[in-house]
Amino acid sequence: FWRKRARVERRPYGVIGIIAPWNYPFWMPVSGAMPALVTGNAVVLKPSEFTPGAAMLLQDLLREAGLPAGVFEVVPGDGVTGAALVRSGVDRIVFTGSSAVGRKVAVACAERFIPCALELGGSDPAIVLADADLRFAADGIVWNRFFNGGQNCVSPKRIFVEQPVFDAFVAAAARAVGGLVVGDPKSAATEVGPLVRPHAVATIRAQ
């Protein structure tokens, strides 16, 4: 405005609390922690209680690279630990997980009047129309559904298929699923490895 000036100052938040999921236990913490660190923040990471090893490896790598002690810290634990992190003196929360827990995180952050970034789970649909290339659609949907052992928050959980091509699509999808190689995750030939824990196996069998 006339006679007025404005300026933008980019300053670190301070300490960023990150609550990471189990399905991408190395990549998700890295994708949250590295931008925070390079913009001048400290990070406290609470990994999933089912996959703490990857977070501890990341901490070791950062310290070997010369990051000062205390700038990146890992606090292993379950949901109680995550809730304590949200209530602590951190200046921002980054949470990846279920919608139910994400709602609690959002409320807690609102009460403390701090910003939060939420990446929440969902039940994504795929839609197959009658004029689709059915083999292409089936291969793509099956790959996306079973990628990372099916432990992928953006995988299609439901498929809506137009009636005229329903049977043909089911047959194409069945062929694609039947061709998947299940086995040792250390083998290059394996396409579907193990699930994260026995409870996940029981849930899928029940479904």
Side-chain angles (χ1 to χ4, degrees):
F1 295 103
W2 183 56
R3 284 186 161 181
K4 295 185 184 291
R5 291 182 180 179
R7 70 175 183 266
V8 176
E9 294 186 6
R10 293 180 171 86
R11 298 180 179 178
Y13 279 101
V15 181
I16 309 297
I18 299 177
I19 301 174
W22 50 264
N23 58 341
Y24 293 98
F26 189 81
W27 180 80
M28 290 296 291
V30 165
S31 67
M34 298 312 292
L37 292 171
V38 300
T39 52
N41 300 280
V43 171
V44 178
L45 168 64
K46 203 296 283 185
S48 167
E49 62 269 34
F50 304 113
T51 55
M56 302 306 294
L57 173 61
L58 176 59
Q59 180 175 256
D60 291 343
L61 291 172
L62 289 171
R63 288 181 177 173
E64 287 179 20
L67 193 71
V71 176
F72 179 86
E73 294 294 332
V74 176
V75 286
D78 57 12
V80 174
T81 305
L85 178 60
V86 173
R87 293 192 304 269
S88 71
V90 297
D91 302 291
R92 181 184 175 97
I93 287 289
V94 177
F95 171 82
T96 304
S98 71
S99 299
V101 177
R103 184 176 290 109
K104 295 178 182 178
V105 171
V107 169
C109 289
E111 289 174 346
R112 292 193 52 228
F113 213 61
I114 63 169
C116 63
L118 307 175
E119 182 181 345
L120 308 179
S123 183
D124 308 300
I127 300 172
V128 181
L129 303 180
D131 60 351
D133 179 329
L134 297 183
R135 181 176 179 180
F136 181 80
D139 286 347
I141 290 170
V142 167
W143 178 86
N144 204 339
R145 174 62 270 185
F146 287 91
F147 178 76
N148 198 34
Q151 303 167 122
N152 186 9
C153 56
V154 295
S155 290
K157 281 80 170 179
R158 298 164 292 152
I159 307 171
F160 298 105
V161 184
E162 283 199 293
Q163 189 63 46
V165 295
F166 179 83
D167 291 336
F169 174 81
V170 170
R175 282 194 298 272
V177 172
L180 293 172
V181 178
V182 181
D184 186 338
K186 296 187 291 294
S187 170
T190 297
E191 295 174 304
V192 181
L195 298 179
V196 67
R197 63 190 191 278
H199 176 72
V201 178
T203 299
I204 289 176
R205 283 178 172 161
Q207 291 172 343

